[in-house]
Amino acid sequence: MIDLFTGRLSEIAVLGAHCDDIAIGMGGTLLQLAEANPGLRVRAFIGSGAGTPREAEERAALAAFLPEAELHLTVLDLPDGRAPAHWERAKSLLSTFRRSTEPDVVFAPHRGDAHQDHRQLAELVPTEFRDHLVLGYEILKWETDTPRPTLLNPLSPYAAMAKVRLLAEHYPSQTAHDWFDDDAFLGLARLRGIQCRATYAEGFMLEKAIIRFGGDR
């Protein structure tokens, strides 16, 4: 087992195509990062939902998932489900966001996600964050695109239970979906936990990592 976060993190970037993507994909990890790194700076980028009730949900949710963190949230107005038709604007907005942050780790959707908005963001992120560790989170939904994670973050039972509670509390607009419930989220977390000998976990996809064995001479 490799403990990725043995060192103190000062800043992370978290990106989602829609309000709730980040919390669904890595809500437990957010809770643990905030607890382990008091005062953590979090730069969050959301591609759609600006000016709607979903933006209010997202602001309240991320504040709850990141207690004591310094949260800076950008919510944009790309059309939900139509982001690929606005590629040039999406690229420009992401470029502007990139200039506002110098994170230790970047979290975003993964390239294999079947939703076109998620996939476009996943493809754009490495073009802006070229020298960063980028971890792709998984978003549970009706498509059969469940990935094979290459990195697993064990969650404490508290973090897993807190995640499902906060999802239900802060995203009332989504609770009518048949996949949006405690059983679904805990079931996936339990599966990922089994895969790393923990009770619960969240999975991430790692495309590239730079590892230096020994110092420079």
Side-chain angles (χ1 to χ4, degrees), residues 186-199:
L186 283 176
L188 180 59
R190 180 70 186 110
L191 172 63
R192 298 310 182 207
I194 290 169
Q195 294 169 344
C196 63
R197 298 188 180 275
T199 305

Side-chain angles (χ1 to χ4, degrees), residues 92-198:
S92 178
L93 292 168
L94 182 60
S95 179
T96 298
F97 174 78
R98 167 67 184 92
R99 292 193 294 272
S100 73
T101 180
E102 192 56 59
D104 300 310
V105 187
V106 179
F107 297 91
H110 68 94
R111 289 181 189 259
D113 195 303
H115 193 294
Q116 62 272 17
D117 296 354
H118 301 169
R119 189 169 60 253
Q120 174 176 274
L121 181 57
E123 291 171 350
L124 285 174
V125 164
T127 70
E128 294 294 335
F129 293 92
R130 293 174 179 263
D131 300 313
H132 295 78
L133 177 63
V134 179
L135 301 181
Y137 56 78
E138 58 179 325
I139 302 173
L140 180 65
K141 53 190 181 303
W142 68 269
E143 287 105 339
T144 56
D145 61 351
T146 308
R148 292 183 176 181
T150 52
L151 187 150
L152 294 157
N153 176 41
L155 299 178
S156 67
Y158 168 80
M161 297 299 175
K163 172 183 175 175
V164 298
R165 175 177 57 81
L166 292 173
L167 285 171
E169 287 180 4
H170 290 286
Y171 295 105
S173 68
Q174 303 304 297
T175 55
H177 295 300
D178 56 7
W179 53 267
F180 195 100
D181 60 32
D182 294 2
D183 289 342
F185 297 127
L186 283 176
L188 180 59
R190 180 70 186 110
L191 172 63
R192 298 310 182 207
I194 290 169
Q195 294 169 344
C196 63
R197 298 188 180 275

Side-chain angles (χ1 to χ4, degrees), residues 64-80:
F65 276 101
L66 292 160
E68 309 302 324
E70 179 187 320
L71 174 63
H72 299 265
L73 174 59
T74 300
V75 182
L76 305 170
D77 62 353
L78 293 170
D80 187 350

Side-chain angles (χ1 to χ4, degrees), residues 77-89:
D77 62 353
L78 293 170
D80 187 350
R82 300 289 188 273
H86 301 265
W87 185 93
E88 185 172 353
R89 182 162 180 259

